[in-house]
Amino acid sequence: MTEQKKNYGAEQIQVLEGLQPVRVRPGMYIGSTGSAGLHHLVYEIVDNSVDEALAGYCKHIQVTIEEDNSITVSDDGRGMPVDIHPKMGIPAVELIHTKLHAGGKFGGGGYKVSGGLHGVGASVVNALSTHMVVQVKRDGKLYQQEYWAGSKVSKLEVLGDARGTGSKTQFWPDPTIFDETVYNYDTLQRRFREMAFLNKGLSISIEDKREGQKRKDSFCYEGGIKEFVSFLNANKDPINETVFYYEVEKDGYEVEVALQYTDRYDERILSYANNIHTTEGGFHLVGFKSAMTRTINDYARRNKLLRENEDGLQGDDVREGLTAIVSVKLTNPQFEGQTKAKLGNSEVKGFVETNTAEQFGFFLDENPKQAKVIIDKCLKAQRAREAARKAREISRKTSVLDNTSLPGKLADCSEKDPALSEIFLVEGDSAGGSAKQGRDRKRQAVLPLRGKILNVEKARLDRVLNSEEIKNMITAFGCNIGKDFDISKLRYHKIIIMTDADVDGAHIRTLLLTFFFRFMPQLIEDGYVYAAQPPLFRVKKGKQIWYTYSDAEQEALLAKLKEESGSSKIEIQRYKGLGEMDFNQLWETTMDYNSRTLVRITIEDAASADEIFTTLMGDKVPPRKKFIEDNAKYVKNLDI
Ligand code: 0RA
């Protein structure tokens, strides 16, 4: 035991020397004495080897959880310096392990980057270990020094001759300091995989030698963070083909960025400074984000994907579905924030922003196909955001309205009990007129929708929300939309979409379902939404009349009628639309409780409508053509 340790007493805390403060307040140095702190010890030691790798001298790091739960870290670097420190008069390796903040000061000049969450180094790990053994191979010799609770128990000695160079540290965490002393292989494995991604070409192996849980893994990525992005996107669907990557090193600053977009709606941007995951972000992240927004807007405008008078894409729009890694390395990192996980060096913002804007700009210019896919995704995000904002606006406005101001076009029913009331949403004013005339006034309300208008709107939900028809529906239903939606206020327990049995009708139905799906999904989930089934044909033979609802049904009927004897001729009328029926026919075929067929819309129907809708966004012709083709099927499905 050293002098200082023997003399230590509670009243002398302010005069503690050496490593004693670390043992008194471990939390100040490693964050906690729980599991996180315990694992932190390993990271501190490995970080020193990674520093040696960053300096260009180390290729492989081996981490072992020994059978007795001690940890061994070895590397093939130059070996820790063993020469006598001119001022202190002890070997440098001893200084590194027995004096606070002595690490990292031995860099033989040049560009050096230092990792470690608190940059506390090997001495802190030593102080919090019952026992530590350090071996160094260099100059053809094997050196060793041992410590107990941070104090050396032996001088640095030469054990013998050695080939090659490297450093090896084994330590036993002090169970009187830590609440938790058992290492978790998965935790370490995740961290070292991340480390290997962040330092391309570096190989890190981890092995668990504990009885009953023997395992090992080895990580080495020549592609570095580019492979990290592919790894993160492994279970997602990327939309642009290749992962964008660049690196720039200048004036002691290094930045690396890798990114790829997926079809998802969330963003996943991981930022690092000197290999530390900056969970609170910082100036590198700010620089990256502003570069992305700027570059994408510039590209979109230059290539006429955004018109002059259109609003620019916002940050959230350009990051939807983005997976990215932003990694910076610098000599003097300032870590700030609650958990010291925020990069505070303001000069890094401009550095990252300038380089990212330039390099990502090149990428977009050189890969027009990928650029198009990315910008399309951003434009979709922008429209969805706009739509959501409009929805909130409408819902704010409509909540001010009460039921006394029902839309003028609504022919309401007299029944007040929602469970007994239904509303027909009818395509076109003329069919709307017939429906109003033919309906059961007590229980059936009719709201005509001017389908043409919806059609002309090219299916863009933001504009749909502007439409008078949609606002009318919201007021008629009475239950509001979005987060103000209240099913208990719904005025009709059957909402019946009545559109023509053609492509336009299917289009309008698609729009309505999409609207419900996005803004009132509970209407569908609770089974309140239906599709009416108007007939396709009217067949008259003598005084008898039949209605058929599909081509197959029509053929079967005709076959049967022709088989039957009888002289009267068969009259066939094909309905091109609801408007061709008079009010009696409409009642009889489509609205009468006893003879009609309603198809209840499921959430799956609505979800696929939403998907169809999404492909319709924008002014592209091919998806619209595809929509019309697909809808031939869609109409059939509904008619079954
Ligand atoms: C500074 C100088 C030299 C080696 C190291 C640091 C070093 C430290 C650690 C910690 C773990 N592994 C390490 N490997 C190397 C040597 C400088 C020289 O050879 O001139």
Side-chain angles (χ1 to χ4, degrees), residues 179-242:
D179 322 320
E180 173 67 65
T181 51
V182 179
Y183 279 105
N184 181 323
Y185 181 85
D186 291 327
T187 303
L188 294 177
Q189 184 241 37
R190 264 196 302 277
R191 173 61 184 155
F192 297 134
R193 183 176 54 208
E194 182 184 45
M195 276 292 215
F197 277 131
L198 290 168
N199 300 282
K200 56 171 180 266
L202 171 65
S203 140
I204 307 183
S205 299
I206 172 166
E207 178 166 10
D208 196 339
K209 287 190 168 166
R210 290 172 298 185
E211 205 45 57
Q213 48 194 97
K214 296 194 189 333
R215 284 170 77 176
K216 55 183 171 181
D217 286 286
S218 205
F219 305 111
C220 182
Y221 305 100
E222 291 305 331
I225 60 168
K226 191 172 179 176
E227 287 188 57
F228 199 173
V229 167
S230 298
F231 172 82
L232 293 172
N233 281 349
N235 294 320
K236 299 180 185 173
D237 294 313
I239 56 167
N240 63 303
E241 208 176 304
T242 57

Side-chain angles (χ1 to χ4, degrees), residues 118-169:
H118 302 92
V120 290
S123 60
V124 165
V125 180
N126 196 11
L128 302 175
S129 301
T130 52
H131 182 201
M132 186 185 256
V133 181
V134 176
Q135 292 188 343
V136 173
K137 282 193 292 183
R138 58 183 294 150
D139 316 321
K141 293 200 163 46
L142 175 63
Y143 298 86
Q144 176 170 296
Q145 188 166 38
E146 282 191 59
Y147 315 85
W148 287 94
S151 303
K152 69 170 175 195
V153 291
S154 65
K155 282 192 162 183
L156 181 68
E157 46 192 10
V158 176
L159 294 188
D161 292 341
R163 262 196 275 171
T165 60
S167 310
K168 181 159 119 178
T169 303

Side-chain angles (χ1 to χ4, degrees), residues 420 422 440 442-444 587 591-596:
L420 300 174
E422 43 189 59
D440 165 14
K442 181 158 171 38
R443 292 178 47 203
Q444 294 181 326
W587 164 257
M591 297 175 80
D592 182 355
Y593 312 105
N594 300 314
S595 53
R596 73 185 182 187

